[in-house]
Amino acid sequence: MTFKRSPNWKKPAFKKKNTQKPRPAPKDRKVIIFNKPFDVLSQFTDDQHRQTLADFISVKDVYAAGRLDRDSEGLLILTNDGVLQARLTQPESKSPKTYWVQVEGAPTEDDLDKLRQGVELKDGMTLPAKVEIIPEPNVWERNPPVRFRAAIPTTWISITIIEGRNRQVRRMTANIGFPTLRLIRYSMGEWTIKDVAHGTWKEVSL
C-alpha cells in the first residue's frame, strides 16, 4: 500500500539549537587586561606543566579573546562576554591590534610599504597594515633575553592589523626579509598595556 502526501503538506522546519551562551548582565560582565610574559600559554590548563594563565590570574569563568603565542608578550584580554570576544577577534569587526616588533636588520620605507599594501602568505594576502619605525620602547627585560647577532642591527617597528591569523605578524616580517626577534602586543581595540605592569592584570569596565 502506498500513501500520497496531501498537496498542502510541508516539510517541518527544524530550528538550529543556539549554543551561544547568553550575554552576561552588565553587573556580571568581567573584562580582564593581562600583560602576558614570554613563555606563558594563553590558556588556564596544560598537561605538560608549562606556565599558564592560572599561574597569574585567579578570576574564574573568563576566557582569552583571541590568542597570544607562547613566545609573544603583552596584552591579552580575558572576558566572560562572548559578544565582546567576537568583536575583538573577528576581522569583520575591524578591531585594530597594535604590536611592537623587534626585527633583525634595518628595513627601509620601501620594505615597510610592502606590509602597508599587503603581502602574500601561504593562507592568502594580508590586509593592508599600518606600519612605522619607532624608537626602542621602554619595556621590561625579556627572560630569557633575545639572542642577537652582533654584526646585524635590530629595529623596532609598530604594526597595526585587523586580522588575527596564526603567527601573522611574524610571518609578515619574515616575508619581507626581516625576522621577528621579539613581539609585544601593545593594544587591542580601546585597551592597552600602558598602565599594566609585566606579569600583572587589572579588571576594567566597558
Side-chain angles (χ1 to χ4, degrees):
M1 182 180 291
T2 59
F3 295 90
K4 292 185 178 180
R5 291 174 178 166
S6 166
N8 297 323
W9 182 88
K10 291 183 180 180
K11 184 178 180 180
F14 294 95
K15 293 183 178 180
K16 291 183 179 179
K17 187 177 181 181
N18 185 4
T19 58
Q20 186 176 17
K21 294 181 179 179
R23 191 172 196 184
K27 65 181 180 62
D28 298 322
R29 187 178 298 134
K30 297 176 183 177
V31 182
I32 301 293
I33 291 179
F34 177 48
N35 188 342
K36 188 186 86 67
F38 179 83
D39 205 29
V40 174
L41 296 172
S42 297
Q43 59 197 49
F44 281 93
T45 59
D46 180 61
D47 56 10
Q48 298 181 43
H49 307 293
R50 295 170 293 184
Q51 276 197 309
T52 69
L53 301 178
D55 293 301
F56 299 88
I57 300 172
S58 58
V59 179
K60 304 297 183 183
D61 300 321
V62 293
Y63 305 92
R67 299 185 66 81
L68 191 59
D69 295 327
R70 181 182 174 192
D71 55 354
S72 299
E73 309 160 72
L75 180 62
L76 190 66
I77 296 176
L78 300 100
T79 181
N80 62 348
D81 185 341
V83 175
L84 175 60
Q85 281 185 311
R87 179 163 64 85
L88 290 172
T89 57
Q90 293 178 359
E92 295 81 6
S93 68
K94 293 182 169 53
S95 182
K97 296 175 281 288
T98 297
Y99 299 83
W100 291 343
V101 190
Q102 185 180 25
V103 299
E104 186 177 72
T108 65
E109 286 300 313
D110 286 342
D111 295 318
L112 300 182
D113 276 343
K114 297 174 183 176
L115 302 181
R116 295 174 181 132
Q117 295 167 11
V119 292
E120 180 77 33
L121 303 179
K122 288 184 177 180
D123 50 359
M125 286 289 294
T126 63
L127 294 175
K130 294 181 180 179
V131 188
E132 62 179 345
I133 295 175
I134 59 174
E136 180 176 352
N138 182 22
V139 294
W140 56 92
E141 294 292 329
R142 204 190 76 171
N143 183 25
V146 173
R147 291 185 178 181
F148 301 100
R149 291 195 283 178
I152 300 178
T154 69
T155 304
W156 281 90
I157 59 178
S158 171
I159 299 179
T160 301
I161 60 176
I162 59 172
E163 300 175 279
R165 305 187 203 180
N166 183 45
R167 300 180 74 79
Q168 180 175 341
V169 172
R170 294 178 186 275
R171 291 191 290 144
M172 288 170 65
T173 68
N175 179 276
I176 64 168
F178 299 92
T180 290
L181 299 173
R182 187 177 183 187
L183 189 148
I184 299 170
R185 184 156 63 196
Y186 175 72
S187 69
M188 286 182 71
E190 63 193 88
W191 292 292
T192 76
I193 53 170
K194 181 179 179 181
D195 299 317
V196 185
H198 175 239
T200 68
W201 60 273
K202 70 176 182 180
E203 189 165 356
V204 296
S205 56
L206 292 178

